[in-house]
Amino acid sequence: MGKKQVMVPVNEVDLTEVKYVPEKFEAPHLTGFWFKLFVKVMEAPLIGSLITSHLKQKNGMTEILKNTVIPEVPMFIPQFPLQDPEPGVVCLEEDGKPEERVDLALKCLPHYDPSSSWNSGSGEPFRFRYWKIRDYGYAYRSKFTTPSMVAEQFISAIEVLNDKQPSAPLLISFDPKEVRRQAAASTQRFEEGIPLSILDGILIAVKDDIDCFPHPSKGGSTWFHEVRQVNIDAVSVSRLRSSGAILVGKTNMHEFGMGTTGNNPNYGTPGNPHNPKRYTGGSSSGSAAIVASGLCSAALGTDGGGSIRIPASLCGVVGLKTTFGRTDLTGSLWEAGTVTIAGPITATVEDAILVYAAILGSSPADRIPLNPSLPCLPDLSSNESSNILGSLTLGKYTKWFNDVSSTDITDKCEDVLNQLFHLHGCKTTEIVIPELRELRTAHTVTFGSESLCLLNPDCEDGKGVRLTNDTRTNLALFRSFAASDYVSVQRLRRRIMYYHMEIFKKVDVIVTPTTGMTAPEIPESALEVGETNLQVVASLMQFAITANILGLPAISVPIGYDKQGLPIGLQLIGRPWCEATILRLASVIEEFSAEYRKKPMEFYDILKVK
């Protein structure tokens, strides 16, 4: 009696009365024998439902889903109001050839000075930097090296990594002959003076939930390729192939994207290149690690709950999530989802711009929101860029911003905001974001329900016992959600969208740390059987899931390190369809953060030209 609550209509909420509740998730942390036992108990018919009910009750989900009247109508996919056009941009044709979009993107970048990359005898102190895509292109055109020579360096490094024990492969599907074939074709094009684009000869890896023929798509599992065949490339992959990229294989991942650490007992858990005893973050774990280690200029990931931005942040590279509908998910495991989008993980922001230009293009019209504008890129070659930056207003919810595991994170993020103001005139203003706990519940139920739709038929067919313990635990929770729960959280999605669209009337970008913690340690007992640690999951996803449930563009850019030498990322969340704004801002942040960039402990220089 007396449990019923009625939410005030969203347009009547008094923001001055909003109280921030620190992020906290109550659940056991288990590995080893106790984790295996917990999975069996969770899957037991009676006691399992009691445990999931208790977990939902302790974490406020029952109150939201069962006891609360939400007056808004459901929003089943992100729906956006019309947006003002971005200044200082170059628009791209979605229906044009990928290589033509890449060439146009290349013209948007600042002037390329080869001496800044190749003149090592200049007398300047050494400062670590990643080779950029334009560095590879210059090396190929200048005949310093060839795509085939670079491919051989890559193959040798991967074979060394694959021989390590315990197993921790970055690629879980890799064919040296296929890499050599693509590299030979690229080398010939350069010899004939007809490269397809600046991406020709660039090594790019693909996450294991995106189709890349002839490789299977397993989603990090041991069996999904048995029930789903791959006959052609995913749309995003075909666009990269049309641009001349060398697709090196399928990267390791947290099984079916159901985790944020990158733990995978099926193939081995990749270590963080900055500290192999730490997690890479996930679920795009192998994609981030293969870029951070210098082996690839870029990798494709999918982002359903920060799965691109989280590993990018933890590994010290760039991760871009585009507006929902901006890239076509056809040919991925998540092509029917409403929170997941494909995007690039790259060593630098300019590389993210080039790869984004290649892969962009709307999803089929029956499952995307109205896109009233062409995709745009920031014109970084223009002198007007500085003036545009000075006109930007950044929104910061301080109590949320500061709710992290270490002051190292907030200190670094604050330093960046201060530099943006002093160097470029970017103003930061205080904002309030209500109902963050409700947002977390909305994401959990939506992503969980979509995951069940993907896996339930095969689980019912007996494949469920072949899933990892982590996945089985998540599915046990997801199965406890009712149809009414799904409708309720879509009502919440509409409320949360309203709050953010009101915020974007006052600010251009919302800024947060990318994650609430830096890379967590990998428990030795978790390597064989996995682990469940929902406190870590919640901390890693804390700032990321907003962009997923609302379909907003967001980027993580590396800004420094904590006292343990682990990377820290800053997240920029933009207005719908406004990728150009966050890319412009990320570019200048990267520029003044570059002096702090460190060479990872595990790094391979495959562009060996001297």
Side-chain angles (χ1 to χ4, degrees):
M1 294 293 292
K3 292 183 179 180
K4 178 179 175 180
Q5 300 182 41
V6 180
M7 281 185 156
V8 174
V10 66
N11 60 347
E12 297 178 15
V13 172
D14 183 354
L15 297 183
T16 64
E17 296 295 320
V18 172
K19 301 234 183 322
Y20 179 73
V21 179
E23 286 283 330
K24 187 179 181 182
F25 202 98
E26 295 189 34
H29 174 206
L30 300 170
T31 64
F33 167 79
W34 294 110
F35 185 26
K36 291 192 287 185
L37 178 62
F38 180 72
V39 171
K40 292 185 181 298
V41 173
M42 284 281 285
E43 293 178 336
L46 181 58
I47 192 170
S49 62
L50 291 174
I51 292 173
T52 55
S53 178
H54 175 73
L55 286 174
K56 290 191 292 184
Q57 183 78 40
K58 291 290 287 183
N59 291 287
M61 298 179 75
T62 301
E63 176 186 342
I64 296 167
L65 297 173
K66 304 298 185 187
N67 305 333
T68 303
V69 177
I70 306 166
E72 283 68 38
V73 298
M75 179 187 286
F76 291 103
I77 63 171
Q79 297 171 359
F80 312 124
L82 291 173
Q83 302 295 312
D84 293 333
E86 299 171 277
V89 299
V90 174
C91 294
L92 306 174
E93 291 289 341
E94 289 182 301
D95 297 331
K97 293 182 179 180
E99 57 270 34
E100 292 175 351
R101 291 197 301 269
V102 171
D103 286 345
L104 191 54
L106 188 62
K107 295 174 183 177
C108 294
L109 300 180
H111 172 70
Y112 177 71
D113 180 8
S115 65
S116 65
S117 302
W118 299 95
N119 192 6
S120 60
S122 63
E124 295 182 5
F126 174 78
R127 187 176 77 186
F128 173 73
R129 63 184 297 278
Y130 283 99
W131 293 114
K132 298 185 291 188
I133 287 172
R134 288 198 285 179
D135 294 327
Y136 281 89
Y138 178 79
Y140 295 155
R141 293 191 305 274
S142 302
K143 303 188 186 307
F144 293 161
T145 188
T146 68
S148 288
M149 294 168 65
V150 169
E152 289 303 324
Q153 295 285 352
F154 173 84
I155 291 167
S156 297
I158 290 294
E159 289 175 344
V160 169
L161 282 170
N162 288 348
D163 288 339
K164 284 189 174 182
Q165 295 298 326
S167 179
L170 302 181
L171 295 175
I172 57 179
S173 182
F174 168 60
D175 183 352
K177 291 181 180 178
E178 176 64 16
V179 174
R180 290 187 174 106
R181 183 192 66 78
Q182 295 177 70
S186 178
T187 297
Q188 183 173 348
R189 290 192 292 270
F190 274 99
E191 289 174 351
E192 296 173 356
I194 51 170
L196 297 175
S197 77
I198 192 65
L199 295 183
D200 208 333
I202 301 302
L203 305 187
I204 298 181
V206 179
K207 188 179 179 182
D208 194 36
D209 57 359
I210 305 173
D211 294 345
C212 180
F213 185 79
H215 300 279
S217 291
K218 304 176 185 177
S221 74
T222 60
W223 57 266
F224 200 69
H225 61 295
E226 299 169 9
V227 300
R228 180 181 178 277
Q229 302 300 311
V230 174
N231 299 310
I232 59 173
D233 288 335
V235 171
S236 55
V237 173
S238 70
R239 290 168 177 163
L240 290 172
R241 200 183 293 274
S242 297
S243 303
I246 299 173
L247 304 168
V248 299
K250 305 296 289 296
T251 58
N252 205 338
M253 62 177 286
H254 208 120
E255 188 182 57
F256 291 114
M258 290 193 205
T260 57
T261 60
N263 182 286
N264 189 324
N266 292 327
Y267 299 99
T269 298
N272 193 310
H274 290 270
N275 185 337
K277 294 184 179 180
R278 301 274 179 160
Y279 279 121
T280 58
S283 61
S284 304
S285 50
S287 291
I290 205 166
V291 172
S293 62
L295 289 167
C296 287
S297 297
L300 281 189
T302 55
D303 196 315
S307 311
I308 286 174
R309 290 158 289 147
I310 291 169
S313 177
L314 268 53
C315 290
V317 289
V318 176
L320 173 65
K321 177 207 170 291
T322 62
T323 306
F324 179 73
R326 185 65 93 188
T327 53
D328 191 338
L329 275 173
T330 301
S332 81
L333 273 58
W334 307 104
E335 59 184 60
T338 70
V339 296
T340 304
I341 196 77
I345 296 176
T346 58
T348 67
V349 174
E350 77 165 53
D351 290 350
I353 290 173
L354 294 171
V355 177
Y356 166 57
I359 67 173
L360 66 82
S362 293
S363 298
D366 62 345
R367 52 178 141 91
I368 65 164
L370 173 66
N371 177 5
S373 63
L374 291 172
C376 298
L377 297 176
D379 187 358
L380 302 179
S381 65
S382 168
N383 294 329
E384 291 298 309
S385 192
S386 181
N387 293 334
I388 294 169
L389 286 168
S391 70
L392 295 179
T393 300
L394 314 181
K396 173 191 166 194
Y397 187 13
T398 301
K399 291 182 179 178
W400 190 37
F401 189 98
N402 292 339
D403 187 10
V404 294
S405 65
S406 166
T407 55
D408 292 351
I409 297 173
T410 48
D411 288 347
K412 289 291 182 184
C413 292
E414 289 284 3
D415 286 346
V416 168
L417 298 184
N418 289 334
Q419 289 190 70
L420 284 172
F421 175 72
H422 291 299
L423 296 177
H424 298 284
C426 298
K427 300 176 290 293
T428 300
T429 188
E430 184 69 17
I431 60 174
V432 174
I433 307 176
E435 301 175 17
L436 289 170
R437 187 182 66 166
E438 287 79 359
L439 185 152
R440 184 179 71 186
T441 298
H443 178 267
T444 301
V445 175
T446 303
F447 178 78
S449 299
E450 293 176 0
S451 300
L452 273 178
C453 283
L454 171 70
L455 296 174
N456 250 349
D458 296 309
C459 289
E460 292 294 319
D461 207 26
K463 297 292 195 297
V465 295
R466 295 171 63 183
L467 294 167
T468 62
N469 293 312
D470 193 9
T471 304
R472 289 168 68 175
T473 302
N474 283 314
L475 290 180
L477 173 63
F478 298 159
R479 288 191 184 100
S480 73
F481 298 138
S484 60
D485 298 336
Y486 185 79
V487 174
S488 291
V489 300
Q490 306 318 309
R491 294 175 185 269
L492 289 174
R493 182 186 268 186
R494 187 172 295 279
R495 290 177 68 89
I496 297 161
M497 181 70 80
Y498 176 88
Y499 293 134
H500 282 76
M501 293 306 102
E502 289 297 300
I503 290 170
F504 281 123
K505 291 177 181 178
K506 303 171 185 175
V507 306
D508 301 287
V509 174
I510 297 172
V511 291
T512 73
T514 305
T515 59
M517 65 187 303
T518 52
E521 292 185 12
I522 306 173
E524 189 172 343
S525 57
L527 294 174
E528 184 177 348
V529 299
E531 70 171 323
T532 177
N533 190 342
L534 293 183
Q535 294 94 336
V536 165
V537 170
S539 182
L540 291 175
M541 295 177 70
Q542 176 176 337
F543 302 104
I545 57 177
T546 298
N548 293 100
I549 196 67
L550 300 183
L552 300 172
I555 191 169
S556 177
V557 59
I559 57 170
Y561 305 83
D562 67 7
K563 291 183 178 66
Q564 300 177 85
L566 300 171
I568 296 169
L570 181 74
Q571 178 180 229
L572 310 172
I573 304 174
R575 292 183 288 129
W577 312 118
C578 293
E579 284 82 4
T581 297
I582 60 173
L583 285 166
R584 184 188 306 278
L585 196 56
S587 178
V588 299
I589 292 171
E590 177 183 64
E591 187 177 340
F592 59 66
S593 299
E595 62 181 291
Y596 305 112
R597 214 158 191 189
K598 299 177 183 177
K599 184 177 179 180
M601 291 173 61
E602 293 190 347
F603 179 79
Y604 300 85
D605 183 356
I606 63 170
L607 186 56
K608 295 182 178 179
V609 297
K610 295 182 180 180

